[in-house]
Amino acid sequence: MWTHKAWRFPAPALRTYAGWCNAVEGNTTFYATPARSSVAAWAEQTPPGFRFVLKLPRTVTHERRLTGGAEELHAFLDAIEPLGPRTHALWIQLPGSFGPADTGALAAFLRRLPANHRYAVEVRHPAFFTEPQATAQLAAVLTGAGAEWVPFDTTAFFQTPPTSDAERDAWTKKPRLPLRSEALTGHPIIRYLGRDDQARTVAGWQPWVARVAAWLREGRSPTVFIHTPDNADAPELARRFHGEVRAAVPDLPALPEPEPAGQPTLF
């Protein structure tokens, strides 16, 4: 998302957002494939190095569970073509019911995908995190396809009970899974959920600052998305995270100076 009432970004909001952060999660593509003309406008509003991480349609991932939906997938790939290299990765978010028994379907699906895109998979079945055989099997499938495993780190969020309406809402909706922090490719993607309290959000991301800095020193190109339950401070927090990583890796380019305003991401 690049629009949020609390941010007060002037129109066009995406162009303003791209002055604050240089990557965005394409969550809305999960619900509906955008018109090709809309995607062309996204490309016009962002610089060539801007990163879109676009979620595949739910008809493919949740309704057909990767075993059908060829027509919907083709329509989606055609619609996003105007983004060109701005499509950093296609994000395959799978439902919590998609477990180790379905790993073969994922492997077959990844083999059918066109090679001109990068792919990243987010799983939510607990067994992938707690059962060594399931973990190893999934990692092998992803590595064989050159795909990344996307962790959604909610550990800081679930440390203590919620204290606001936004936190209470997120408490019932966000996945509560063990932390995974290993990269499979040169382009890891991290999703982090903090709290509405900035201090607690910053404290919770400190392990990621060290991990991301290490990846950069290894020559990897990570993308990190910073969330909070209400997302009101997300752009500022994303820039703060980037600044903390840059303090550890001074060669990391600075983010652009944004227009005054008040999802985040970096790298």
Side-chain angles (χ1 to χ4, degrees):
M1 107 182 135
W2 50 78
T3 59
H4 191 294
K5 191 175 292 185
W7 299 349
R8 298 176 183 167
F9 283 169
L14 176 56
R15 180 170 291 146
T16 303
Y17 174 95
W20 281 77
C21 303
N22 60 12
V24 70
E25 290 180 341
N27 230 338
T28 58
T29 55
F30 177 72
Y31 300 100
T33 293
R36 189 181 169 103
S37 58
S38 298
V39 177
W42 299 351
E44 291 171 1
Q45 294 172 43
T46 52
F50 191 85
R51 300 180 181 189
F52 287 85
V53 177
L54 299 172
K55 193 182 292 188
L56 261 60
R58 62 181 171 183
T59 52
V60 175
T61 57
H62 285 55
E63 296 173 16
R64 306 291 181 85
R65 297 173 67 87
L66 307 184
T67 59
E71 185 176 339
E72 293 88 343
L73 179 62
H74 177 78
F76 171 78
L77 294 173
D78 180 71
I80 66 170
E81 189 177 7
L83 289 179
R86 292 173 178 81
T87 302
H88 179 69
L90 298 183
W91 169 20
I92 304 167
Q93 186 186 78
L94 297 169
S97 60
F98 193 99
D102 301 299
T103 305
L106 173 61
F109 179 74
L110 290 171
R111 287 194 296 269
R112 293 195 300 269
L113 292 173
N116 61 326
H117 286 294
R118 188 178 294 121
Y119 300 96
V121 177
E122 180 184 343
V123 292
R124 295 188 170 187
H125 194 291
F128 287 124
F129 301 85
T130 60
E131 297 180 8
Q133 184 176 355
T135 303
Q137 184 181 23
L138 177 59
V141 165
L142 297 178
T143 300
E148 189 53 78
W149 184 334
V150 181
F152 187 13
D153 180 8
T154 60
T155 54
F157 176 74
F158 284 113
Q159 279 181 349
T160 57
T163 60
S164 70
D165 288 343
E167 288 187 349
R168 281 185 282 273
D169 183 61
W171 193 268
T172 65
K173 296 178 179 177
K174 302 302 181 183
R176 190 183 307 210
L177 295 166
L179 176 62
R180 177 182 168 82
S181 58
E182 293 79 19
L184 299 180
T185 72
H187 298 83
I189 298 172
I190 306 303
R191 308 183 68 223
Y192 169 80
L193 176 65
R195 299 293 293 253
D196 287 338
D197 180 349
Q198 282 200 14
R200 296 182 63 188
T201 297
V202 171
W205 76 35
Q206 292 308 308
W208 285 117
V209 171
R211 179 57 61 107
V212 168
W215 283 338
L216 288 165
R217 294 189 194 102
E218 293 168 3
R220 301 180 196 259
S221 180
T223 304
V224 181
F225 294 102
I226 304 297
H227 294 271
T228 66
D230 66 9
N231 275 327
D233 301 321
E236 292 94 335
L237 287 166
R239 294 179 65 84
R240 182 170 174 176
F241 182 91
H242 185 279
E244 290 191 12
V245 173
R246 193 163 181 249
V249 186
D251 291 341
L252 179 67
L255 290 172
E257 282 303 310
E259 299 177 26
Q263 205 163 42
T265 246
L266 21 154
F267 310 131

